Amino acid sequence: MLSLLAIAATMNVMAAINIDAKAKITISASGAESSLILIQSSDLNEGWNNGYCGEIYDLSEFPLALYVQYGGKNYASFGTKDLTSNDIVLAAKDNGASEYTITVSNATNTTPLKLMFGAKEIPFEDGTYTLTAAELAAATKVASAAVKGICNNYDKLQITGYAGAQLEVLNYADKASVFTETVAGDNVEIDLETKGLTANTQYFVKLTPAGETAKEYVIKYKPAVTPANP
């Protein structure tokens, strides 16, 4: 889920740009609910354009997760400045319900965009629509690999499902490299306190699996606090 840092950054971006299309999309079923934000604008900055802090990295943590499929990734929030297709493809995790409700709210659309849930088109305008379990299943693709801890304050980086990937952590401001290494196994925990990072500072993370494009994230390093002796 988005951290407070990411939400604040989102609000700042939204206030500063000219928006061509935007909407909040919500899916609900069996008491569970998940929302995402869609934005299209030629003014979007690097962060939004690359989906930083918006990628859903472990769908098993959500009883119902709505996301955008784009560029081989699943995004919990999504912004782009060069969407060439007319379709934005939505998908969600199946939580066993027989019917799902999709709500579009706060929609603005000056470009000919369409929302697609699998093969079902949903108008890019305020409204409520229903999906059957079969329609949901046809559009659902759950990723198994996970990178945990992204977009949160933490002292350790946990990487699951990316053995052999190249990991690089860089300064956020100037993208200077802080450290690089190869992920040694399928379940790896990297203690960031030993890597020379500065406390309470934002960093840029690149994870590049063999033969794939880099997965990119923004993190904020916060060392663990050792309780004082009584």
Side-chain angles (χ1 to χ4, degrees):
M1 290 182 289
L2 293 179
S3 66
L4 292 177
L5 174 67
I7 292 172
T10 299
M11 293 175 64
N12 289 338
V13 170
M14 291 177 66
I17 65 175
N18 295 312
I19 294 174
D20 301 316
K22 69 176 178 67
K24 178 180 179 181
I25 318 296
T26 302
I27 187 171
S28 57
S30 301
E33 184 176 282
S34 176
S35 297
L36 61 82
I37 302 297
L38 295 171
I39 297 176
Q40 182 185 24
S41 170
S42 58
D43 296 335
L44 283 169
N45 66 11
E46 182 184 30
W48 264 102
N49 196 40
N50 289 282
Y52 300 159
C53 289
E55 186 177 358
I56 294 179
Y57 50 87
D58 187 355
L59 294 179
S60 66
E61 296 182 359
F62 301 90
L64 183 66
L66 178 65
Y67 53 92
V68 175
Q69 296 178 335
Y70 185 82
K73 296 182 180 181
N74 304 325
Y75 290 96
S77 59
F78 181 74
T80 182
K81 57 183 177 181
D82 57 358
L83 188 66
T84 55
S85 169
N86 288 332
D87 299 342
I88 298 173
V89 180
L90 304 176
K93 181 180 177 182
D94 184 354
N95 75 340
S98 60
E99 187 175 87
Y100 297 80
T101 300
I102 291 280
T103 302
V104 181
S105 58
N106 302 317
T108 299
N109 184 13
T110 59
T111 58
L113 297 180
K114 294 186 295 183
L115 292 174
M116 302 297 296
F117 206 99
K120 181 171 183 174
E121 182 176 343
I122 298 172
F124 201 107
E125 59 188 36
D126 287 5
T128 300
Y129 314 92
T130 58
L131 294 170
T132 65
E135 288 172 324
L136 179 82
T140 299
K141 297 179 181 177
V142 177
S144 58
V147 178
K148 297 184 178 180
I150 301 302
C151 293
N152 292 304
N153 296 339
Y154 59 93
D155 61 320
K156 292 180 173 61
L157 180 63
Q158 296 173 314
I159 302 176
T160 303
Y162 288 108
Q166 297 301 302
L167 172 70
E168 184 176 16
V169 175
L170 309 95
N171 291 326
Y172 182 77
D174 61 6
K175 300 300 188 294
S177 182
V178 178
F179 75 89
T180 61
E181 62 183 69
T182 300
V183 179
D186 286 326
N187 293 282
V188 174
E189 183 176 84
I190 297 172
D191 187 347
L192 294 178
E193 196 158 8
T194 67
K195 299 296 184 179
L197 278 67
T198 302
N200 302 310
T201 300
Q202 199 167 349
Y203 289 89
F204 181 65
V205 174
K206 293 179 68 175
L207 184 71
T208 310
E212 298 183 27
T213 58
K215 300 175 183 296
E216 301 173 338
Y217 310 90
V218 172
I219 64 172
K220 187 175 182 181
Y221 167 57
K222 184 175 182 179
V225 177
T226 302
N229 293 326

